[in-house]
Amino acid sequence: MIDIEKINLPASITGGCSVIAGPCSAESERQTLECARSLSALGVRVFRAGVWKPRTRPGNFEGAGEPALEWLGKVKAETGMMVATEVAGARHVEAALKAGIDILWIGARTTTSPITVQEISEALRGTDVPVLVKNPINAELELWIGAFERLAAAGVTRIAAIHRGFSSYGERIYRYSPQWQIPIELRRRIPGLPIICDPSHMAGRRDLVPHLAQMALDMKADGLFIEVHTDPDHALSDSRQQLSPAQFSQLIGQLEYRSNPTPEDIRFMSPYREELENIDLKIIRDLAERFGVTRGIGEYKNLHNLSILQPERYNAISERLVSEGKRYGLNESFIRLLFETIHAESIRCQIENNNNQQPVI
């Protein structure tokens, strides 16, 4: 179990939800200060701006570097805001701490590298700076948890997660898929860990940011991490997903905060919850029965030297199930994901059964 203290970020603008806002990158002293002044006037108490920008490909704007730390210092002096920036290595940590940066965050690409996270953790040993950890680009919960464990082992106690979505292939609405089940499981595995949502990176488009911000609040996010730029269309990085200060103000004004259920609400929902539990138990029993049949088929295939994987049949069944699911009003993506998971487990069961060995990972 990771022993974490609450990070205690200021609850700005909203009642109980911390809001961290600012441009993707600190591009110039003027742009940084103008944006900070606008957000400070709106009540934001934590200003974010990237100084070093790990980019997927070379040739794109990779941040202004250490000179931008001075601009963030001027933001603190002029507005009284706390300032946050991303670090991608031990050298960044040392420079940011020397410049008096209040909050550091580890980006999604960096979280993917345990070696780099360990180096950052060692550079933070003996400090009391809050550290926010973005989820790794790939949907791997253990890798995310590993980053918290490394920081905690180095004595970093003020830790929070940033849920910014995960890479996915094919056509998609969002730049990075939310996959809400992962932060839900993270909250279960590490109780008390603050989870902040980054709807800007999830969306990839500014028109989708308000919708995702509301979804995050509905999922009990402890804070929002939003990119705001005074001239977003001409931003040097992530221009499509950044809001103008006016758009940010409108978003904050439109957010709705859901209350916790009262005893009366719980009494009303109890019969429905009981019915859901019974249905869930039936699903478990049906799955157990299904995989029993799967093992029988696997034994026949093994006995007659048949290939376990039969793509043509799987594709035909998958399309029929998707069609049937849509007839009942079920989401097509959900149906495909559900049966892809069931099929993968069926293959694993047959391999394990036929080889009489440990599960193939």
Side-chain angles (χ1 to χ4, degrees):
M1 182 65 66
I2 300 174
D3 183 19
I4 316 174
E5 297 177 6
K6 279 286 186 181
I7 198 162
N8 293 327
L9 295 174
S12 57
I13 306 179
T14 65
C17 175
S18 298
V19 177
I20 301 173
C24 173
S25 304
E27 300 168 356
S28 68
E29 181 176 331
R30 177 179 177 181
Q31 167 255 1
T32 303
L33 287 169
E34 284 182 354
C35 189
R37 291 174 189 135
S38 297
L39 291 173
S40 179
L42 294 172
V44 175
R45 303 311 308 146
V46 183
F47 180 78
R48 57 138 293 157
V51 170
W52 301 279
K53 300 297 298 179
R55 305 306 296 274
T56 303
R57 300 177 64 181
N60 295 317
F61 179 65
E62 296 183 337
E66 290 193 26
L69 295 174
E70 297 181 13
W71 310 338
L72 294 181
K74 291 182 179 180
V75 168
K76 286 182 63 173
E78 180 177 324
T79 67
M81 302 168 81
M82 297 175 70
V83 293
T85 199
E86 178 178 356
V87 292
R91 184 179 64 82
H92 293 171
V93 172
E94 293 162 4
L97 294 178
K98 184 178 179 181
I101 302 300
D102 300 292
I103 300 168
L104 307 179
W105 83 80
I106 298 175
R109 290 170 175 81
T110 306
T111 307
T112 305
S113 171
I115 293 176
T116 306
V117 172
Q118 185 64 44
E119 290 174 351
I120 290 172
S121 300
E122 292 301 328
L124 287 165
R125 189 178 292 277
T127 70
D128 192 38
V129 64
V131 181
L132 318 178
V133 183
K134 288 197 172 188
N135 62 255
I137 291 180
N138 49 310
E140 188 176 347
L141 178 59
E142 297 302 326
L143 198 56
W144 201 4
I145 291 176
F148 300 122
E149 291 175 334
R150 291 176 188 279
L151 288 165
V156 180
T157 59
R158 292 198 286 168
I159 308 172
I162 299 180
H163 172 216
R164 51 85 81 186
F166 303 88
S167 290
S168 58
Y169 294 98
E171 293 185 12
R172 55 192 185 273
I173 298 174
Y174 306 122
R175 181 182 181 187
Y176 295 108
S177 172
Q179 299 199 39
W180 298 106
Q181 73 276 12
I182 295 178
I184 289 173
E185 177 62 13
L186 177 64
R187 195 183 293 278
R188 188 190 71 80
R189 295 271 296 274
I190 312 179
L193 175 70
I195 300 180
I196 300 166
C197 182
D198 178 352
S200 300
H201 272 88
M202 279 186 197
R205 288 169 29 192
R206 66 178 61 94
D207 60 308
L208 296 176
V209 172
H211 169 67
L212 284 167
Q214 182 62 60
M215 288 181 67
L217 293 190
D218 293 346
M219 299 296 287
K220 293 294 184 181
D222 297 293
L224 296 173
F225 198 77
I226 300 177
E227 292 188 348
V228 183
H229 193 290
T230 49
D231 186 11
D233 286 333
H234 295 94
L236 299 182
S237 58
D238 287 347
S239 60
R240 296 180 67 238
Q241 67 195 37
Q242 299 195 66
L243 304 178
S244 68
Q247 290 167 332
F248 172 78
S249 178
Q250 183 179 21
L251 178 155
I252 295 299
Q254 292 176 343
L255 290 175
E256 296 183 7
Y257 301 90
R258 319 295 187 190
S259 60
N260 292 322
T262 64
E264 182 179 350
D265 294 326
I266 293 173
R267 281 194 298 272
F268 177 82
M269 291 187 292
S270 289
Y272 295 98
R273 288 175 169 176
E274 183 177 349
E275 185 177 0
L276 285 174
E277 288 177 10
N278 290 332
I279 293 171
D280 289 341
L281 288 171
K282 183 178 183 301
I283 290 172
I284 293 297
R285 289 191 292 267
D286 287 344
L287 284 173
E289 183 178 353
R290 185 191 193 282
F291 291 128
V293 175
T294 292
R295 290 185 177 91
I297 293 175
E299 290 174 1
Y300 181 88
K301 290 177 180 176
N302 187 47
L303 184 63
H304 294 81
N305 198 29
L306 300 176
S307 170
I308 289 177
L309 182 62
Q310 298 181 4
E312 296 80 7
R313 174 169 169 75
Y314 169 72
N315 292 337
I317 293 175
S318 177
E319 293 306 316
R320 181 164 63 84
L321 292 172
V322 166
S323 178
E324 186 72 4
K326 290 167 69 175
R327 192 166 72 87
Y328 285 98
L330 298 177
N331 180 271
E332 178 178 344
S333 297
F334 165 72
I335 294 296
R336 290 191 185 279
L337 178 60
L338 173 63
F339 284 99
E340 283 172 7
T341 303
I342 291 174
H343 182 253
E345 178 64 9
S346 295
I347 295 296
R348 190 196 67 79
C349 286
Q350 292 182 51
I351 292 174
E352 177 185 1
N353 187 67
N354 292 350
N355 293 341
N356 192 28
Q357 61 183 18
Q358 291 298 313
V360 176
I361 304 301

